Structures are given as structure tokens and as C-alpha cells.
Amino acid sequence: MTDLFNDIQPIVCRGGKVFFLDQTALPVETRWVEIDSVEACWDAIKRLVVRGAPAIGVAAAFGMALASRVVQESGFEGYQARMKESAEFLASSRPTAVNLFWALARLEKKIADSQDRPVPEIKELVEEEVLAIQRENEEVCWAIGVQGQAILRDGISVLTHCNAGALATGKYGTALAPIYVAKERGLCVRVFADETRPLLQGSRLTAYELSRAGIDVTVITDGMAAVVMGKGWVNVCIVGCDRVAANGDMANKIGTYGVALLAKAHGIPFYAACPLSTIDLATPQGADIFIEERDPLEITEGIGGRATGVKAYNPAFDVTPNQLITGIITEAGIVYPPYAENLNSLRGKR
Ligand code: MRU
């Protein structure tokens, strides 16, 4: 792994204190917020101070550590009950990204498996597990980068949507990780970043982190993707995902489905990139994924919002059907169709 992008990490723990890089303020201001309670963690996830599927999982894990520190009960049952309440509370912050639920379930299992130990010892195990979740996500993202770099070549042009970079993960990103690995290996990669209405994760965050890393990035509005593809300027699309269903349908930031349709129309390969923890075999198909709906004011009065006195519909994610996905890049390799069969065969590796 490289240290090249060490300065971009959305969540840090120093001397036991937890800090989130406030992504609502980027790129104008680099502001770190101390998160000192499970309530503050919930609020930060909800308001997108921390965002991106894997980063939300890591953030929720830190929320559990903060909850654990203040549990008063000295008996196992009482401790476990309080932690279950905190897990349910954190789970209510954002519904679509499965990584959040995955991290909470992992910590609840750790607690259940430790029931023979004294509570102070279990609290230490929880802290260790949280740091392991964060560290493993860094390693996994680098591995996704190494796997995904195989589809890139010198001079290639990639279109991405939203931000699935270092800011959205423990480090390095998912969709952007192959680009970072390619850069480290001396390849020249050009990126088109959709601005990603309504909250501009593309123009604010993807453009920020790619340009900091010295990667050639061009921001386009979401409506320009067709023209850019039509001009032959895009060789491949790579996006992140919030949840992959068992049949390979996947949810990602609103607008991703449109990008996939455009890619199909222009004969451009369309890849999704994610850790195995984003694959949810318990959800049969995309139609079963719960899509978060956010405040309409994000559209009417948010960044660039101009509409007054009208309704707005604001689903935060959409579902791209598996037929439009060329491959899913994971740390264990690139998964190709038939997805139902090939995703299921990864079961043991998750
Ligand atoms: O609403 P956000 O900013 O959390 O949405 C983020 C995305 O849709 C990302 O593409 C996805 O979480 C993958 S992050 C590696």
C-alpha cells in the first residue's frame, strides 16, 4: 500500500477521541468535527458530514465505541441490551447503504461471542474491533484498486458519478481506488466527474480529492454525460455502490442508472466497485432495496436550488439493473455475469 494519499481519510481516532472530516464544508473549508457521543455520530451520518457507504459503516462502528464507553451496567445482559439500543439507533440514520448494517451486526456479534468475559474486557474488545473495521476497510479498498487497475491502461478516460473515493471509505475509495493504483504505477488516467445533483459530491468531493492527488479531472454537469460519451471521450465508467442485491442489481447515488443507460447506448463498459461487505445476498433484487428519500429542500433551496413554492422529489439513490453492469470490482476479483451464481460463490469470502 502507498502512503501517497494518506492525507485523505474521513475518520480519524487520536488519543481515543473520534473526529470526522466535515464533508458538507469541503472543498471550501477543511473542518474536523469531534464526535463525542452516539447521538453526535447519528447526526453526522444523517447530515452527510460523513458519507459514502463504507465510511458510513466505519462511522457507525465508532458510534458503537462511543456508546460502549458510557454504558453503566456491569452485567453482560444489561451491557448487551444498551448496545443493542445504540445499534438500532445508528441503524435508523440512513437506510440504503448496507455497510452500516454490516458494521453494526459485526460488533453485535463480537459482543455476543464475548458473553463469558467481564464487561470492561468486552468494552476493550469492542474498541479493538472498531479499529479493525477501519483498518480492514483501508486494506480492502487498496485491494479493490489493484483488482480494478487491470481494466485501465495508459491514456484511458474514466467517467465516474458521485464520490466513491477516499472520502467515502476508510481510505483510497472503491471506484477511485483503481485510478489511484494506476497513478502509482505510472499510468496516465483522465477522469470525468459528474457533478452529482443535488448535493454535488462529484464536483465538490471527487474533483477535490483527484486534483489533490495530481489526477487530470474534468467536472461536467450530470446532463453532459451523454455529450461527452457521444464525442468518444469516455472509455469506461466506474462507480461505487451502496448495496448490491443477490442478482447483481445495485443501488448507488441518484443518477447512476442514467449513466449506465448512456454507457450501454454508447457501447462503453460500465463497472461498479465495492467491498464484499456491500454485497447483500439477503436482498434478492434491486426492487427490494430501500431507497432513502431526503428533504426536498436539498433540491429547491440547496446548493444551486432556485425553485420556490413547488414540490420536489428527492430520492438519494437509484437502482441500476444487473443487465447494464459489465462487472463488479471487489477485493476478491472482478465479478462478471451471471451475477446470481457468481455473487453467491463469493459467500465464503465475505
Ligand atoms: O449520499 P452519499 O454521498 O452517501 O452517496 C454516496 C454514494 O452513492 C457512493 O457512490 C457510494 O456510497 C459508494 S462509496 C464508496
Side-chain angles (χ1 to χ4, degrees):
M1 261 189 283
T2 179
D3 276 335
L4 188 57
F5 308 105
N6 255 357
D7 62 335
I8 297 188
Q9 211 178 3
I11 299 167
V12 296
C13 185
R14 295 276 181 276
K17 290 185 173 181
V18 180
F19 300 90
F20 292 172
L21 177 57
D22 185 349
Q23 298 190 35
T24 66
L26 284 174
V28 177
E29 197 188 330
T30 304
R31 182 197 302 157
W32 287 91
V33 191
E34 185 180 348
I35 303 296
D36 57 3
S37 66
V38 65
E39 290 80 14
C41 183
W42 185 95
D43 180 67
I45 295 172
K46 185 82 185 165
R47 288 193 303 107
L48 275 51
V49 168
V50 64
R51 33 70 47 204
I56 293 174
V58 175
F62 276 105
M64 289 289 274
L66 293 166
S68 169
R69 290 177 196 176
V70 295
V71 172
Q72 301 292 329
E73 276 84 346
S74 54
F76 177 78
E77 272 81 29
Y79 173 78
Q80 189 183 37
R82 295 291 83 72
M83 291 301 285
K84 190 171 169 42
E85 281 165 19
S86 292
E88 281 168 7
F89 174 59
L90 287 163
S92 70
S93 57
R94 294 194 77 190
T96 303
V98 73
N99 311 63
L100 182 141
F101 303 91
W102 173 88
L104 295 173
R106 177 165 160 175
L107 286 165
E108 287 204 273
K109 180 171 184 321
K110 186 80 195 171
I111 292 167
D113 290 349
S114 316
Q115 60 180 308
D116 297 334
R117 298 173 186 250
V119 167
E121 221 177 277
I122 302 177
K123 288 185 172 185
E124 276 174 35
L125 290 173
V126 165
E127 298 274 343
E128 282 168 21
E129 192 72 359
V130 170
L131 294 175
I133 287 172
Q134 184 182 36
R135 193 177 54 246
E136 284 169 24
N137 188 250
E138 286 179 37
E139 292 164 6
V140 157
C141 286
W142 189 253
I144 290 170
V146 171
Q147 298 287 353
Q149 193 257 302
I151 64 167
L152 302 179
R153 56 179 158 71
D154 196 32
I156 201 167
S157 176
V158 180
L159 183 138
T160 192
H161 189 75
C162 193
N163 172 262
L167 287 163
T169 60
K171 216 173 183 181
Y172 306 118
T174 57
L176 300 191
I179 297 163
Y180 289 139
V181 172
K183 164 91 179 164
E184 201 209 39
R185 296 183 178 176
L187 304 188
C188 184
V189 178
R190 178 179 185 200
V191 181
F192 285 98
D194 282 355
E195 70 171 350
T196 317
R197 282 282 289 152
L199 297 180
L200 308 188
Q201 288 93 333
S203 57
R204 291 189 305 109
L205 307 177
T206 297
Y208 167 79
E209 66 167 89
L210 287 176
S211 55
R212 269 178 73 114
I215 289 162
D216 179 344
V217 54
T218 303
V219 175
I220 56 171
T221 67
D222 300 349
M224 293 174 192
V227 166
V228 170
M229 288 187 196
K231 286 180 183 289
W233 291 351
V234 177
N235 303 115
V236 61
C237 299
I238 313 180
V239 300
C241 16
D242 285 80
R243 193 184 292 244
V244 179
N247 71 345
D249 294 349
M250 67 94 180
N252 191 48
K253 177 54 54 195
I254 190 75
T256 303
Y257 177 27
V259 173
L261 286 167
L262 290 174
K264 184 82 171 176
H266 290 90
I268 297 167
F270 177 93
Y271 287 87
C274 67
L276 294 177
S277 56
T278 305
I279 298 167
D280 179 14
L281 297 179
T283 295
Q285 56 189 2
D288 302 314
I289 300 175
F290 190 93
I291 300 294
E292 174 185 10
E293 257 190 62
R294 294 185 63 85
D295 191 337
L297 292 180
E298 288 182 349
I299 292 178
T300 54
E301 293 179 21
I303 309 163
R306 292 284 181 274
T308 47
V310 290
K311 291 183 286 183
Y313 172 50
N314 190 13
F317 302 95
D318 59 25
V319 172
T320 300
N322 59 46
Q323 310 90 286
L324 297 177
I325 303 171
T326 308
I328 301 175
I329 307 165
T330 76
E331 68 270 34
I334 303 179
V335 186
Y336 291 101
Y339 289 115
E341 199 177 314
N342 294 342
L343 289 172
N344 193 44
S345 70
L346 290 172
R347 195 178 276 275
K349 296 189 178 163
R350 290 178 74 222

